[in-house]
Amino acid sequence: MPEKTSIYDSAAIDRLRAELKFEPRRLRALRTRYFKKSLGVDAALAELPHGVREEFASRVEFHPLAVEQVRDSEVDGATKLVLRTAAGLLIEAVIMRTSTGRVSLCVSSQVGCAAACGFCATGQMGIARNLTPAEVLDQVVLAGERLAAEGRGVRNVVFMGMGEPFHNEAVLYEVVSVLLAPGLFHYPPRRILISTVGIPDAIIRAARRFPQVNLALSLHSVRQSVRQRLIPLAAKYSLDELRAAVAAVNKIQQNTVMVEYLMLAGLNDSTDDARDLAAWLEGLDAHVNLIPYNPINAAPHLRTTERADRDAFAEILRTAGYVTTIRYSLGADVAAACGQLVQRENRARALAQSTGFSQRS
Ligand code: SAH
């Protein structure tokens, strides 16, 4: 059987249209239904004339991912989608419905991650492989289709799921281009955010390529020794290099860079840490987002910062003149923190396999 063409590969789909000889406006209408309105495959195909519709449907792959599991939070507006690649690998995307009614979608860029952060469930898995552009984009469409049924849609796309986006840089750029393309998803660039563990050259390249797309840096400490302990990959990049990269991004972009700061009791959350962070930020256009630690099984030694300490930390930054927000952590009951649910699932599968039982028939 010849390989199918991915709906996410625009150039190949354009060639298929020419081969099947239907009008360009029909393809435009199909894409509007599929990408912009999230109406699903059947509604999209209905835009094609009879005769070519079946041929097109048989030659195009719409969903490279299958929905393995959907977990709606009972305490807040989070829904976790566990998705399966063709080879059976599991990844996740998290729908976050905020109280304002706006929806953000957290997407994965890799299966696993090479950064090995001790506090992160995905970091504990190691890296399996990069996702393809189609696999990243399909997360947006699958989430969009679920949301369309509620009369909502994905407003913001944030690269904060499994993986380090800049370790899959070419795919990331392809994905962002498709998200921005007027004939495809047509997202406003400011509604896209790329979060990175901090790869200085790549941050600058991304800012040049997409000057209006938002960038977030997972800083977590301004002490090299502490940062390296939390993020082993940080050993490769000095805090000075990172700071210079943020300064360069500020020159290229109008957007404020988001500095993410995971708060861990006794490790990086003292008032001295806050003052040193403020000093590190001096002269940068940055907004600080404090992240309460979401405990994972693999890191029983790490503890969440107490609320009072977190507020004191935030106050120091605000007094120093930095906009500081505290991330409201959604979906704790559905294990929505990066990689948690997939890790649990994968472990259950490994266990099932080692005991000779298969999970699915
Ligand atoms: N690799 C990218 C994006 C994925 S993680 C990055 O490092 O930014 C997205 C954010 O969630 C990062 O700031 C990460 O440090 C944070 N995070 C990971 N595990 C967490 C946990 N258990 N609790 C709270 N935040 C976590």
Side-chain angles (χ1 to χ4, degrees):
M1 207 175 62
E3 213 166 271
K4 290 191 176 192
T5 303
S6 169
I7 190 68
Y8 300 104
D9 182 345
S10 324
I13 293 288
D14 287 342
R15 286 194 296 273
L16 182 62
R17 183 210 60 78
E19 183 194 327
L20 299 181
K21 298 189 176 61
F22 60 88
E23 298 157 279
R25 70 176 176 88
R26 300 278 198 164
L27 179 56
R28 278 200 297 277
L30 177 148
R31 283 173 165 156
T32 296
R33 286 192 163 187
Y34 190 74
F35 294 107
K36 295 197 179 100
K37 298 191 173 163
S38 300
L39 293 176
V41 178
D42 291 344
L45 286 171
E47 292 285 1
L48 301 188
H50 280 295
V52 296
R53 190 185 296 172
E54 295 69 23
E55 175 75 4
F56 188 86
S58 72
R59 294 191 43 193
V60 173
E61 179 189 62
F62 283 88
H63 292 301
L65 300 176
V67 179
E68 168 87 15
Q69 211 186 101
V70 178
R71 291 254 198 127
D72 287 310
S73 166
E74 281 170 18
V75 297
D76 56 38
T79 297
K80 179 159 234 175
L81 304 177
V82 178
L83 306 169
R84 191 176 66 246
T85 68
L89 295 168
L90 298 181
I91 57 158
E92 53 193 41
V94 183
I95 296 171
M96 297 171 290
R97 303 171 185 82
T98 60
S99 51
T100 58
R102 290 178 177 172
V103 179
S104 291
L105 179 71
C106 179
V107 294
S108 295
S109 54
Q110 299 183 302
V111 184
C113 186
C117 303
F119 53 82
C120 176
T122 307
Q124 299 306 300
M125 294 174 198
I127 177 75
R129 73 162 168 85
N130 283 332
L131 292 177
T132 63
E135 287 165 340
V136 181
L137 292 162
D138 206 33
Q139 298 171 55
V140 182
V141 171
L142 289 170
E145 287 175 9
R146 300 198 78 80
L147 286 161
E150 317 169 3
R152 304 195 204 219
V154 175
R155 183 186 155 93
N156 301 293
V157 176
V158 301
F159 289 85
M160 286 193 188
M162 296 167 65
E164 166 50 39
F166 288 135
H167 281 167
N168 193 9
E169 198 175 344
V171 167
L172 172 73
Y173 294 162
E174 164 77 21
V175 166
V176 173
S177 301
V178 173
L179 289 175
L180 298 177
L184 300 168
F185 287 93
H186 205 192
Y187 272 91
R190 287 182 188 277
R191 294 200 190 153
I192 298 174
L193 179 129
I194 302 167
S195 176
T196 175
V197 77
I199 299 169
D201 296 356
I203 299 175
I204 297 170
R205 277 194 295 275
R208 287 215 178 96
R209 180 119 176 202
F210 302 108
Q212 289 183 290
V213 166
N214 294 295
L215 291 165
L217 166 66
S218 295
L219 188 62
H220 306 348
S221 176
V222 292
R223 299 183 212 291
Q224 184 66 22
S225 59
V226 176
R227 190 162 192 271
Q228 265 175 241
R229 185 136 52 99
L230 299 176
I231 308 172
L233 189 82
K236 280 179 140 179
Y237 310 106
S238 73
L239 280 155
D240 286 346
E241 278 176 277
L242 274 181
R243 200 186 168 286
V246 175
V249 167
N250 283 162
K251 278 211 176 120
I252 301 163
Q253 294 197 315
Q254 309 248 286
N255 303 19
T256 300
V257 170
M258 182 193 280
V259 167
E260 298 166 278
Y261 197 97
L262 174 70
M263 299 205 70
L264 294 164
L267 278 175
N268 65 356
D269 65 345
S270 71
T271 50
D272 275 350
D273 288 313
R275 276 187 280 273
D276 290 348
L277 172 58
W280 192 87
L281 291 169
E282 206 176 316
L284 298 178
D285 180 7
H287 145 212
V288 181
N289 191 229
L290 299 177
I291 313 178
Y293 170 58
N294 206 329
I296 62 165
N297 294 338
H301 55 291
L302 298 177
R303 281 183 305 116
T304 311
T305 294
E306 299 288 337
R307 199 192 172 119
D309 294 337
R310 191 215 297 157
D311 291 345
F313 195 98
E315 203 41 47
I316 290 172
L317 290 166
R318 288 184 186 128
T319 305
Y322 297 98
V323 173
T324 303
T325 50
I326 293 168
R327 182 170 300 174
Y328 173 55
S329 184
L330 290 165
D333 62 327
V334 290
C338 187
Q340 276 190 91
L341 193 59
V342 161
Q343 198 190 34
R344 206 178 284 168
E345 274 291 302
N346 281 341
R347 205 177 286 144
R349 284 184 179 206
L351 196 69
Q353 274 167 13
S354 65
T355 53
F357 293 103
S358 115
Q359 276 223 312
R360 259 173 307 125
S361 49

